[in-house]
Amino acid sequence: QVQLVESGGGLVQAGGSLRLSCAASGSFSRYAMGWFRQALGKEREFVAAISRIGGNTYYADSVKGRFTISRDNFKNTVYLQMNSLKPEDTAVYYCAAAPLIIATRDHEYDTWGQGTQVTVFS
């Protein structure tokens, strides 16, 4: 199994950018990786996912064209580059690992990080 630690969250003005990182220990390349987010008072939602080797990526419609997920299997790290941020992107962002080739649904992920806060102000 892997352990996950997110970093890179913070406070940013609308239109700005942030890059989240998720460092993993363990057999990182055996896992599909995903990013989810949970805004205050709302349910956790899928943001983006990347396959084990990184050849396939998937995005929620709300972030498509603005966010990019990538991974470096040598550094055991997955990234989420977030551009053109909007106030509605404000949430706690979670990195997650699934023992599958690719996964886009919450219940497919069995390991979660502690989360990192992203706040976008207008």
Side-chain angles (χ1 to χ4, degrees):
Q1 201 167 9
V2 293
Q3 292 183 320
L4 307 172
V5 178
E6 302 100 331
S7 61
L11 186 65
V12 63
Q13 191 168 21
S17 297
L18 281 175
R19 188 176 82 154
L20 305 183
S21 299
C22 174
S25 63
S27 303
F28 180 68
S29 62
R30 296 183 181 179
Y31 291 82
M33 299 299 296
W35 287 95
F36 291 76
R37 66 186 182 187
Q38 187 167 21
L40 194 63
K42 295 187 177 181
E43 292 187 355
R44 187 165 59 193
E45 64 175 357
F46 169 76
V47 174
I50 189 166
S51 58
R52 283 180 184 172
I53 302 176
N56 294 297
T57 56
Y58 296 87
Y59 297 93
D61 288 342
S62 58
V63 306
K64 206 170 291 183
R66 300 188 297 122
F67 290 12
T68 302
I69 187 170
S70 61
R71 67 188 293 164
D72 185 333
N73 284 356
F74 293 103
K75 295 183 177 179
N76 283 9
T77 303
V78 61
Y79 305 97
L80 185 68
Q81 177 67 44
M82 305 186 295
N83 298 330
S84 303
L85 282 161
K86 305 175 181 179
E88 51 263 45
D89 294 317
T90 295
V92 177
Y93 283 71
Y94 296 91
C95 170
L100 300 168
I101 294 174
I102 185 66
T104 60
R105 292 175 289 183
D106 189 297
H107 70 270
E108 296 177 311
Y109 288 83
D110 64 3
T111 305
W112 296 81
Q114 83 288 352
T116 186
Q117 177 71 46
V118 171
T119 303
V120 184
F121 64 94
S122 56

